[in-house]
Structures are given as C-alpha cells and as structure tokens.
Amino acid sequence: MKYALVTGGSRGIGKAISIHLAQIGYVVVINYQSNEKAANETLQTIQEQGGQAELLPFDVSNSESVQNALQKWQDAHPEEYIEVLVNNAGIRKDNLLVWMEPDDFETVLRTNLFSFYHVTRPLLTPMIRHKQGRIINIASLSGITGLPGQCNYAAAKGGMIAATKALAKEVAKKRITVNAIAPGFIKTDMVESLDEAELKKTIPMNRFGTAEEVAALVAFLASDEAAYITGECISINGGLYT
Ligand code: NDP
C-alpha cells in the first residue's frame, strides 16, 4: 500500500489530484478543513472507480490541528508512511496593500505558507527512513510574477517556491524529490468571482486550465519517471507567463 496525502483534497485542484493519484494506485488521504460534504463526494468518486481513500480533516494553518491529525493517522497505520505529500490547500484574500487588514495578510500566510512547514516536517522523518518520498507544493503564477491585490498571496506562494528549492537540496540524498507547480488560472471555486471572459483574453491559449491538467502534472512528478527532477517550479498556465 502506497499512501499519498493531499491537503485541500476535497475540492478543486486537490479533488482532481486525489482522484488521479487513486487511479494510479495510491491510497489517498484526503484532507479538508470544513466542507465535509465535498470531501465525502470526492471519497465516493474514488471508491466508485475502485480506488482507495480515507478522509483526514485538519486545519493546515494550525500546527496543533495538523500534529494531532497526523499522529492519529500514524497510530492507525503503524506500519505505513505517507510517500507522496501534495501541499495543495490554499486560500486567497485579495486587496490592495493600502487596504489590506492585518488579519487578511496573516491568514493567507498561515494557510498557504506556514502550512508547508506544519504538514511537511512531521512527514519528512518517515520518508527519510524509507529513503523514498515525493513532496509536491502547489504554488502559483502569482508567486513568480506577483499580481496586484495579492501581496499576501504572492508572498506566501513565492515563499513556498523558495522553500521548495531549499528543502530539495536538504533531502536529495535520501531519494526524496521536492518540486513546486505554479498554475495560472484554473477553473475552480477559487476563481469563481473573477471575470473569466475578460481574463482569458490575456492567456495565449485563450482559456482557463482545468484541475485535471494540474493533476496529471502532479501524477508525473510523483512517478518513478520523475526521479531526477527536484527543486523545480513548473508553470502550467496556457502560456500566460513563460
Ligand atoms: P478551492 O478553493 O477550489 O479549494 C481549496 C481547498 O483547500 C478545499 O479543499 C479546502 O477545504 C481546502 N482548504 C482551504 N483552507 C484550508 C485549511 N486551512 N486547512 C485545510 N484545508 C483547507 O481552491 P483551488 O482548488 O482553486 O486551489 C488549490 C491550490 O491551488 C491552492 O493552493 C491555490 O492557491 C492554488 N492555485 C489555484 C489557482 C486557480 O486558478 N484555481 C491558480 C494558482 C494556484 P474545504 O473544502 O474544507 O474548504
């Protein structure tokens, strides 16, 4: 049994990643924060397709919540370890910096960046012991180019990309790869409030991406074929930025 944990695996990009990883044989641990209904739907889809998955709710921004849940999981699976970790959970709270409230800056940093520390650290030791692991961080185009209204989000995603490169060097000898993916506009709940018709005119491919397209890239980075790729940030954005 090979286990993969997908944070924010209940909806959007995380849902597509969970379904894809289950299709290629992983037992998927689906994390979510509060939307139990969506998490159960994702679990059901995987099971209907003959795959295996389980739910593990916790708040990625809260170190105690993460620790308790991961300990509970390890106690229930004493012989197993999480071989693939996808740090996907994220939120955005956009505003121009002059109007950005402290809480909106802090919450986005805690959910999109501190979460990397909270979730990755406890799962690293078992990966090191098994000399095998894949860590895939879902960053964003905003973390590479910066986007107006996203000082908080861009800082978090840029930090995640930098942490990806640093950690990749720390654990390369242990056969653990660490990579980031920087999606452009992907059609999920997160971008529902955006003007898709206007924005897609700025994208050379003239469309938003799909969660399944991001999931296929995650599956490749998790595969044996990607064993020599580490410390990279791979863009998937329809040519919006190259
Ligand atoms: P969605 O809003 O569709 O889904 C977000 C997921 O994250 C949900 O499963 C949600 O759980 C979970 N989540 C949010 N906060 C927490 C938390 N504190 N603890 C645990 N889980 C949490 O987002 P997307 O699928 O669009 O985004 C996924 C990732 O991709 C994010 O990191 C985002 O920043 C990144 N991204 C998205 C882009 C896009 O265009 N969509 C572009 C670039 C990057 P619940 O259901 O319980 O709320």
Side-chain angles (χ1 to χ4, degrees), residues 8 10-11 13 33-35 59-60 88 139 153 157 184 186 188:
S10 55
R11 290 188 289 119
I13 294 171
Q33 184 179 23
S34 55
N35 193 333
D59 175 358
V60 293
N88 163 79
Y153 186 81
K157 296 299 194 180
I186 308 296
T188 68

Side-chain angles (χ1 to χ4, degrees), residues 139-179:
S140 170
L141 171 70
S142 187
I144 302 175
T145 65
L147 290 176
Q150 294 198 324
C151 281
N152 50 0
Y153 186 81
K157 296 299 194 180
M160 185 184 230
I161 293 167
T164 298
K165 294 177 183 185
L167 181 60
K169 289 181 177 157
E170 291 182 18
V171 296
K173 279 200 184 79
K174 302 293 180 186
R175 294 180 61 228
I176 300 167
T177 69
V178 190
N179 290 291

Side-chain angles (χ1 to χ4, degrees), residues 27-45:
V27 183
V28 180
V29 183
I30 303 167
N31 158 257
Y32 65 100
Q33 184 179 23
S34 55
N35 193 333
E36 198 179 341
K37 185 169 174 283
N40 271 310
E41 280 169 13
T42 304
L43 175 68
Q44 203 181 333
T45 303

